Amino acid sequence: MQRFRGVLQSRNSLQKLRFLAPLRTYLAQPSYSPQHDHVEDQVLVEGRSNSRAAILNRPSSLNAISTSMAGRLKRLYESWEENSDLGFIIMKGNGKAFCSGADVVSLYQLINEGKVEECKSFFNTLYRFVYLMGTYVKPHVAVLDGTIMGAGAGISFPGMFRVATDRTVYSHPETQLGFHPDAGASFFLSHLPGYLGEYLALTGDKLNGVDMIACGLATHYCMNARLPMIEERLAKLMTDDPSVVESSLAQYGDLVYPDKSSVVYKIETIDKCFSHDTVEEIFDALEKEAANSVDEWCKATLKKLKEASPLSLKIALRSIRDGRFQPIDKCLAREYRISVNCISKRVSGDFSEGVRARLVDKDFAPKWDPPRLEDVSKDMVDCFFSPLGEYEPELDLPTSSREPDM
């Protein structure tokens, strides 16, 4: 628990970033075509003379990210980075969610229609935006109020400041969908204390805002009801100094500590079980812990693992382990390879089957292929990490221009 004490003190946050003073609205690359108007509706822009706020605006879909949304975000953030009049940027979600991740149901439908290239375009666009966020020059404040899953973390965690609230619920449910934690997850999960990243990636367990402060995923915390105070404060700032933005967030922050039910109090057991080299060894360690303890946590963790795709569990574990020793651009390149293999069904159709079972038909009875861990060979896992092939382009990131010293 000591490793968490240094990050338990929280600060402050924003939420429905409806600035309390009169707003001006700025739209990048205006167009009067119906299709473009629809894209602009999905990512709204609010701003004052020294800042901009990007508002994810698909509340009926929990602000799930589409290709057009990722593309618009990338265009907006590039233009804002180049605008010397802007000091800092804010991102928030409209409704009860910040962002529920990728629009996997739409991807499922595209795969069934044979439009795999459109799926590839989605991942290419999304990952390029995540990389932009990971190398962004200006201070960035993500208001993580509400649900945040999967790629929702990818578009916000790389930024400088991440504000959690009492409504924040964060998770990576990808292995339950036959997929893998992506959009930079193998980078930031692998840098969490101990083996917490492996635990979150494999089980899909949820963290609340206090948990996120404790493990360092969030930089500030405040109650949802206090967010308008931060919004008003940020609206008055005329700065590009990160320390000024930070102090403004801290001014209204709340001091919080995780309660005894928090996963952070399980860190010793997590490290003991999830530090093993293979998924099979992790299962064995949890089985032994469950047999020697009256704590139901080990049994609940085993249940979550048994519900996941066996293939996804092995892919996710290897990806997190690789991410511990790679920069974000290498992590995104590897994740792109894995994603392309998932949607192409070269080895398995688990992604489509997982989405069908949990989000489309909702029978919650996926038929995984292979169905058991012992049936997942090393060659099968290796295929997801291998170069895509002569006629399949890899993810091309602008590292030379954004990180010239690398």
Side-chain angles (χ1 to χ4, degrees), residues 16-31:
K16 293 178 171 181
L17 254 90
R18 283 180 143 12
F19 294 114
L20 303 181
L23 295 172
R24 285 189 289 166
T25 299
Y26 300 82
L27 297 176
Q29 302 180 355
S31 168

Side-chain angles (χ1 to χ4, degrees), residues 135-176:
T135 56
Y136 210 63
V137 174
K138 295 184 177 180
H140 185 266
V141 179
V143 186
L144 308 176
D145 188 48
T147 301
I148 174 170
M149 294 190 289
I155 65 171
S156 56
F157 284 11
M160 195 172 294
F161 303 112
R162 302 168 298 281
V163 182
T165 77
D166 52 311
R167 298 198 326 143
T168 301
V169 181
Y170 159 66
S171 65
H172 277 279
E174 289 92 345
T175 61
Q176 306 285 322

Side-chain angles (χ1 to χ4, degrees), residues 172-190:
H172 277 279
E174 289 92 345
T175 61
Q176 306 285 322
L177 297 174
F179 201 58
H180 67 110
D182 71 322
S186 67
F187 178 78
F188 53 78
L189 287 179
S190 65

Side-chain angles (χ1 to χ4, degrees), residues 31-38:
S31 168
Y32 298 100
S33 69
Q35 183 178 5
H36 196 89
D37 288 344
H38 178 61

Side-chain angles (χ1 to χ4, degrees), residues 5 170 299 341 366:
R5 294 193 190 279
Y170 159 66
K299 293 179 180 178
N341 277 284

